[in-house]
Amino acid sequence: MLYAVMTQDVDNSLPLRMTCRAEHLARLEQLKSEGRLVLAGPFPAIDSNDPGEAGFTGSLIVAEFESLEAAQAWADADPYVAAGVIASAVVKPYKKVLP
């Protein structure tokens, strides 16, 4: 089943994000290589694809997991969690309708 992982960053998270971005992206690449990743990306803090130093306010990941518990465990193990980037995270079942 698909699950949405929606995170909210701490204020001014960009410096923290940069310390572990490579590890965070590697986990997403693994999901992609397994054919389980639907989409992933951050929420820019300003109305721009490249927010520069304004940074990001959180992220959205939609991927396939065996269960809600597995999706939650995956989200909890994110390097952004360990680095203190993420203030809160919500993991919910997701049903893709379109496209």
Side-chain angles (χ1 to χ4, degrees):
M1 179 166 189
L2 295 178
Y3 294 89
V5 179
M6 299 161 288
T7 66
Q8 180 69 40
D9 285 10
V10 297
D11 291 339
N12 304 310
S13 65
L14 189 59
L16 290 173
R17 276 179 168 264
M18 299 314 293
T19 66
C20 54
R21 185 171 186 263
E23 294 88 352
H24 171 78
L25 292 177
R27 296 177 81 233
L28 293 171
E29 286 293 337
Q30 180 178 356
L31 287 177
K32 181 181 172 187
S33 71
E34 294 169 358
R36 297 169 44 202
L37 183 64
V38 174
L39 63 86
F43 300 116
I46 61 173
D47 191 12
S48 174
N49 280 329
D50 183 6
E53 291 189 20
F56 303 94
T57 61
S59 299
L60 170 64
I61 299 164
V62 178
E64 183 179 344
F65 293 94
E66 293 177 12
S67 65
L68 178 59
E69 293 78 17
Q72 184 69 59
W74 185 90
D76 291 343
D78 193 294
Y80 282 175
V81 171
V85 173
I86 297 174
S88 63
V90 175
V91 180
K92 291 182 165 190
Y94 179 79
K95 181 180 177 182
K96 181 179 176 185
V97 175
L98 293 170

